Amino acid sequence: MSNKMQEVFKYSLSAFGYNNHKKTDQKSVILYMKEGIIMFSHFDASTKQILIGNILLIVCCIFYIAWWLLAFRPNNPIKGTKSGWLLLPAFMFGIISVVMIASSSGDNNHLLVPNNSILIGSIIIYVALVAFTNRLLNRQVTTELLLIVGWLALMFKEINVLYSLNHYSLIVAIILLIVCVIMAMISLICYMMYYDLDVYKGYIDGMIPLVIVAIMMIVIDLSFI
């Protein structure tokens, strides 16, 4: 290993309290990573999927927010590929996250609601919101509406699975579902207001749903770790 790489490993380990390692090499880093994995070894496969999926969605939001901060800032926005490349990792992490969470499964005999009902309900809600916001309120339909409804459906699926695996009591699961609905409603309000705001207020308004998603992912992960 080169001297530069050794220094990188040494700094990384010392940052996490590994100052006493006399020999800082790849084996030390692998050992540290294994210790981190062991912390979550008691979780079943579906719980691990959800945990990792949530983390990936947080990373997705970070890249998306970074893009928004650069591309839509009121003064000297950075457009094109100079900021647009941030959407590539955001998309990648987002897709992987959705697949991991959506493919998780629990005890089908102990679900709050059938998973099929969540899918059907989300489709009905999306169609109704498109009709309501576009036809009645004349708000042009954009991708954000699909993302809001899709995120809410994903949260219902996730909490449904975690409840079925006994990570949540009925009361806690219902509370989390209500909080998710409230967060989705706040995001929907931001969605409706965006084109009526000036550039500065719109800049803040557009970030609120992303921050909400990231916070909820952190809350749910911490609630069962």
Side-chain angles (χ1 to χ4, degrees), residues 112 163 168-175:
L112 281 170
Y163 169 75
Y168 297 141
S169 66
L170 179 61
I171 297 299
V172 171
I174 292 175
I175 290 174

Side-chain angles (χ1 to χ4, degrees), residues 75-91:
N75 298 317
N76 301 316
I78 301 175
K79 300 288 187 177
T81 56
K82 290 183 178 180
S83 61
W85 69 268
L86 290 164
L87 292 177
L88 295 177
F91 178 79

Side-chain angles (χ1 to χ4, degrees), residues 2 9 17 23 39 44 46 51 56-57 66 74 90 106 110 116 119 131-132 142 144 167 173 177 186-187 204 215 223:
S2 67
F9 284 127
K23 186 178 181 180
M39 291 174 61
D44 57 88
S46 286
L51 178 65
L56 292 178
L57 195 54
H110 191 56
N116 289 338
L119 177 60
F132 178 72
T142 56
E144 286 75 18
H167 289 294
L177 290 175
I186 293 173
S187 297
I204 301 300
I215 291 175
S223 68

Side-chain angles (χ1 to χ4, degrees), residues 5-15 18-19 21 24:
M5 287 299 296
Q6 288 184 10
E7 289 300 318
V8 170
F9 284 127
K10 183 176 181 181
Y11 177 79
S12 301
L13 290 170
S14 63
Y18 278 73
N19 295 316
H21 281 244
T24 308

Side-chain angles (χ1 to χ4, degrees), residues 155-206:
M155 290 302 94
F156 266 65
K157 168 65 186 294
E158 180 171 321
I159 294 170
N160 205 27
V161 171
L162 291 174
Y163 169 75
S164 75
L165 296 174
N166 297 314
H167 289 294
Y168 297 141
S169 66
L170 179 61
I171 297 299
V172 171
I174 292 175
I175 290 174
L176 285 174
L177 290 175
I178 292 173
V179 171
C180 287
V181 171
I182 293 173
M183 295 298 101
M185 291 176 65
I186 293 173
S187 297
L188 183 61
I189 292 172
C190 292
Y191 170 83
M192 291 299 303
M193 293 176 58
Y194 179 73
Y195 286 109
D196 295 325
L197 300 174
D198 61 44
V199 64
Y200 292 97
K201 292 180 180 178
Y203 182 58
I204 301 300
D205 179 88

Side-chain angles (χ1 to χ4, degrees), residues 38-62:
I38 290 172
M39 291 174 61
F40 305 105
S41 61
H42 63 286
F43 289 135
D44 57 88
S46 286
T47 303
K48 289 177 183 177
Q49 275 185 237
I50 290 175
L51 178 65
I52 296 172
N54 287 350
I55 293 172
L56 292 178
L57 195 54
I58 293 169
V59 175
C60 167
C61 288
I62 291 172

